[in-house]
Amino acid sequence: MKLTDNVLRSFRVAKVFRENSDKINCFDFSSNGETVISSSDDDSIVLYDCQEGKPKRTLYSKKYGVDLIRYTHAANTVVYSSNKIDDTIRYLSLHDNKYIRYFPGHNKRVVALSMSPVDDTFISGSLDKTIRLWDLRSPNCQGLMHLQGKPVCSFDPEGLIFAAGVNSEMVKLYDLRSFDKGPFATFKLQYDRTCEWTGLKFSNDGKLILLSTNGGALRLLDAFKGAMLHSFGGYNNSKGVTLEASFTPDSQFIMIGSEDGKVHVWNAESGMKVALLDGKHTGPVTCLQFNPKFMTFASACSNMAFWLPTIDD
């Protein structure tokens, strides 16, 4: 089944899970699309089975809190940032609920975490104005970049380069093998003082970069030339909430939730809005991602919603 405008318009909430007492701050699908794991401000980690459509287990990180949860490539393991006590990144085995390793180094809150799509490398960005490069097998930082402001960062889909959005006005591209030589490309954007960048993602085909903000607009860039292709607005975000925006796996559409519980979908190429879906969320839709393998997506406030299409186009 192919994603089209009509299929996207037909998506409806199939299941709602009320496992959390506070907002879900992040979730991540496994690469095979079979599970999704969430972190919440109530210090819990909830694992869901996407095929059966039900929660499988709940773990807690009461002491350190939990945010920015990400699957690693090893089965049943995740990394996540802390939002209490310190700013150490933690590597957890879900199988026996034990920490495998800690990654200390940042001295302010970690605001970006991206796992390499191809190996055990990951990068983190922090309010301490640094990006750190790590390897899951070692607690020691493998590389450090000092920046001029708050960073958002992500690997490209091939794991060869990573992009850093700095100070909400510049995107810098680094070659992973020689990042210490500095960026090989820098794109300067028109600075918008009304909002800051809160996320950066590559499309799966590697051709586009999506910048999300805590304001009422998203920006779509050409990943090679840095030209701004589209700015997407018209969704509600008056309170400066961090709303996650995502590409569909085919790189054709862009989606974001809003503070009124609705989900907006645009065509990446034309920039036209193709759908407005009602998620019936009780709060702002802070997290939203499409399943990498199956025709479903998830959105979250303090509740988690699984969506399915209602037509076969």
Side-chain angles (χ1 to χ4, degrees):
M1 188 169 159
K2 193 169 172 293
L3 262 186
T4 62
D5 294 9
N6 281 340
V7 170
L8 275 163
R9 283 188 203 108
S10 84
F11 269 86
R12 298 292 180 269
V13 175
K15 274 203 167 160
V16 178
F17 305 100
R18 298 177 176 86
E19 303 295 305
N20 295 99
S21 60
D22 205 337
K23 82 161 189 188
I24 294 168
N25 51 39
C26 186
F27 64 71
D28 193 35
F29 282 101
S30 57
S31 57
N32 62 11
E34 289 171 11
T35 64
V36 63
I37 194 158
S38 68
S39 54
S40 165
D41 288 357
D42 65 10
D43 306 332
S44 72
I45 296 167
V46 183
L47 180 67
Y48 297 87
D49 184 317
C50 296
Q51 286 161 311
E52 291 185 24
K54 62 181 191 195
K56 282 208 319 201
R57 21 182 333 212
T58 300
L59 307 171
Y60 292 94
S61 181
K62 291 279 186 206
K63 186 174 176 186
Y64 305 107
V66 54
D67 201 347
L68 300 178
I69 198 158
R70 303 279 184 264
Y71 273 113
T72 69
H73 302 296
N76 276 326
T77 59
V78 291
V79 288
Y80 64 81
S81 65
S82 321
N83 53 20
K84 297 199 291 201
I85 296 193
D86 63 17
D87 303 290
T88 298
I89 296 161
R90 291 181 162 76
Y91 181 23
L92 178 71
S93 164
L94 302 172
H95 167 67
D96 49 8
N97 196 18
K98 287 198 165 64
Y99 292 117
I100 302 166
R101 199 160 280 117
Y102 294 156
F103 304 96
H106 287 300
N107 55 33
K108 285 193 177 158
R109 190 162 63 91
V110 174
V111 291
L113 198 56
S114 176
M115 193 75 217
S116 162
V118 294
D119 61 21
D120 283 340
T121 312
F122 67 98
I123 51 175
S124 57
S126 160
L127 295 178
D128 63 16
K129 300 182 182 176
T130 65
I131 287 177
R132 287 176 180 264
L133 181 67
W134 309 88
D135 188 303
L136 283 173
R137 294 162 294 193
S138 162
N140 305 321
C141 178
Q142 308 292 302
L144 174 64
M145 270 155 297
H146 291 275
L147 302 159
Q148 260 57 64
K150 171 193 163 180
V152 287
C153 54
S154 180
F155 279 98
D156 82 316
E158 287 169 342
L160 298 173
I161 67 166
F162 62 88
V166 187
N167 233 12
S168 304
E169 60 179 347
M170 267 181 296
V171 174
K172 296 171 181 276
L173 301 183
Y174 295 85
D175 186 316
L176 192 59
R177 290 156 303 192
S178 55
F179 69 89
D180 46 341
K181 297 188 173 64
F184 65 84
T186 299
F187 310 137
K188 189 128 171 47
L189 275 76
Q190 181 80 42
Y191 181 64
D192 178 357
R193 70 174 69 84
T194 64
C195 61
E196 30 176 74
W197 297 352
T198 53
L200 182 154
K201 289 185 183 180
F202 279 89
S203 56
N204 273 349
D205 62 10
K207 294 177 180 172
L208 304 169
I209 291 174
L210 181 62
L211 292 164
S212 38
T213 72
N214 61 1
L218 302 170
R219 293 172 172 192
L220 186 68
L221 309 185
D222 179 309
F224 300 104
K225 303 192 185 83
M228 189 155 108
L229 303 173
H230 297 292
S231 178
F232 303 107
Y235 58 92
N236 290 347
N237 189 16
S238 60
K239 297 187 179 75
V241 179
T242 296
L243 302 171
E244 180 181 23
S246 292
F247 289 100
T248 50
D250 59 8
S251 308
Q252 301 300 304
F253 299 95
I254 284 154
M255 313 175 71
I256 193 171
S258 61
E259 68 182 7
D260 57 9
K262 293 190 168 53
V263 171
H264 298 249
V265 187
W266 295 270
N267 183 299
E269 194 174 0
S270 70
M272 300 294 287
K273 185 170 282 188
V274 296
L276 175 60
L277 307 169
D278 189 358
K280 302 190 168 51
H281 279 285
T282 52
V285 183
T286 43
C287 307
L288 186 146
Q289 281 176 42
F290 213 95
N291 187 303
K293 292 284 185 276
F294 300 105
M295 192 56 82
T296 174
F297 71 88
S299 60
C301 53
S302 59
N303 300 335
M304 171 76 90
F306 284 5
W307 300 67
L308 290 171
T310 50
I311 58 166
D312 305 321
D313 201 25

